[in-house]
């Protein structure tokens, strides 16, 4: 946790709303970007982890661009760390404070710990499998997290990210979101998982499952009492990148969202 906070303080915050010429570049499109903060924060965290765990597999979002074999390797790795140095990079590059750093720990194909750090506020959400999920404030206060109570679909607040959905799924799901009380979008998994694990919203859904976006958050949500499964009802595993996922307060709510929203 200290390493993640150090990377935020040294590499991310000094560049927030302060990216110089060449500090941002496109990856695949104008909304898929990378900044100096992403690259340097990932390098900082990777070096610290390698120093302490030299034999561990390190899966960084930015390093993945150079070696895509690291994601399938998560299925069998004895110990692995999965890093999203700046989740919500588009927000970060646009000057919005809705971004964070995500770190997941995987052992023998199972996520065993997760960290989501808010660089701006200094708060950190953590979970260890079987030990609950907690919010740790910058000032030292600690509180246990719990998902929202079960409510009817019409009273739910939630989001489905349809950025990577193809038609007709994209239009159908966006139309079905009118059935809930408050649909919204943050473009930041770090904040989405904090909101759902702390009971502020009821559900989230994603079609693409890159491990740095979801492994830590899914574990944190489950440790806060929630239910998660892929669109087909099967468990989400670390090496998977397709099949979609829904997170909800309980299994019955999950089934309702799958039926009424995903269709």
């Amino acid at each position: 946790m200290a390493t993640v906070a150090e990377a935020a303080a040294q590499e991310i915050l000094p560049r927030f709303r302060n990216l110089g010429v060449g500090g941002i570049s496109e990856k695949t499109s104008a909304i898929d970007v990378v900044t100096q903060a992403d690259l340097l924060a990932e390098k900082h965290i990777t070096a610290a982890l390698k120093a302490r765990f030299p034999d561990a597999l390190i899966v960084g979002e930015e390093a993945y661009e150079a070696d895509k074999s690291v994601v399938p390797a998560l299925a069998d790795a004895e110990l692995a760390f999965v890093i999203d140095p700046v989740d919500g990079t588009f927000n970060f590059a646009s000057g919005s404070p809705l971004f964070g750093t995500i770190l997941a720990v995987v052992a023998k194909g199972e996520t065993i710990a997760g960290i989501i750090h808010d660089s701006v506020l200094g708060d950190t959400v953590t979970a260890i499998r079987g030990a609950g999920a907690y919010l740790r404030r910058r000032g030292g206060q600690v509180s246990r997290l719990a998902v929202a109570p079960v409510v009817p679909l019409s009273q739910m607040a939630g989001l489905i990210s349809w950025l990577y959905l193809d038609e007709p799924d994209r239009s159908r799901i966006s139309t079905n979101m009118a059935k809930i009380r408050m649909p919204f979008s943050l473009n930041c998994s770090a904040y989405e998982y904090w909101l759902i694990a702390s009971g502020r919203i009821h559900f989230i859904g994603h079609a693409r499952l890159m491990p740095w976006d979801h492994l830590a958050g899914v574990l944190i949500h489950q440790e806060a009492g929630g239910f998660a499964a892929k669109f087909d009802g099967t468990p989400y595993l670390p090496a998977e990148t397709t099949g979609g996922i829904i997170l909800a307060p309980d299994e019955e709510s999950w089934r309702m969202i799958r039926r009424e929203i995903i269709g």
Side-chain angles (χ1 to χ4, degrees), residues 74-82 102-116 126-131 209-223 235-240 245:
L74 285 170
D76 301 311
E78 286 291 317
L79 178 65
F81 297 90
V82 184
I102 306 175
L103 176 68
V105 185
V106 177
K108 299 179 180 178
E110 181 179 55
T111 308
I112 60 172
I115 296 172
I116 299 176
T126 63
I128 297 175
R129 181 167 295 278
L209 303 178
M210 303 313 291
W212 43 82
D213 289 327
H214 300 291
L215 289 181
V218 170
L219 175 65
I220 289 167
H221 174 256
Q222 290 173 329
E223 288 298 318
Y236 166 52
L237 301 175
E240 296 177 329
I245 194 169

Side-chain angles (χ1 to χ4, degrees), residues 160-178 205-208 231 243-244 257-263:
I160 301 289
S161 175
W162 49 72
L163 179 62
Y164 297 102
L165 285 169
D166 295 323
E167 294 292 359
D169 295 340
R170 185 185 182 102
S171 294
R172 183 188 70 253
I173 291 173
S174 61
T175 298
N176 286 342
M177 288 292 282
H206 285 265
R208 193 175 76 153
F231 286 175
I257 293 160
R258 176 65 179 84
R259 181 179 65 250
E260 298 294 332
I261 303 297
I262 303 301

Side-chain angles (χ1 to χ4, degrees), residues 30-150:
I31 61 172
D32 184 15
V33 297
V34 63
T35 72
Q36 288 178 332
D38 295 84
L39 298 172
L40 293 173
E42 183 171 309
K43 183 178 179 180
H44 181 112
I45 296 169
T46 298
L49 291 173
K50 277 295 188 183
R52 187 171 180 184
F53 305 97
D55 297 326
L57 173 68
I58 308 293
V59 181
E61 179 181 10
E62 306 314 327
Y64 170 76
E65 296 301 320
D67 181 8
K68 292 182 168 54
S69 69
V70 293
V71 169
L74 285 170
D76 301 311
E78 286 291 317
L79 178 65
F81 297 90
V82 184
I83 309 163
D84 192 340
V86 182
D87 179 70
T89 299
F90 183 83
N91 295 349
F92 175 83
S94 302
S96 166
L98 295 180
F99 62 89
T101 300
I102 306 175
L103 176 68
V105 185
V106 177
K108 299 179 180 178
E110 181 179 55
T111 308
I112 60 172
I115 296 172
I116 299 176
H117 181 69
D118 183 327
S119 303
V120 176
L121 295 179
D123 295 344
T124 309
V125 175
T126 63
I128 297 175
R129 181 167 295 278
Y134 294 87
L135 172 64
R136 303 171 189 274
R137 298 285 189 185
R138 186 200 298 268
Q141 307 95 322
V142 179
S143 57
R144 187 159 186 166
L145 298 180
V147 298
V150 174

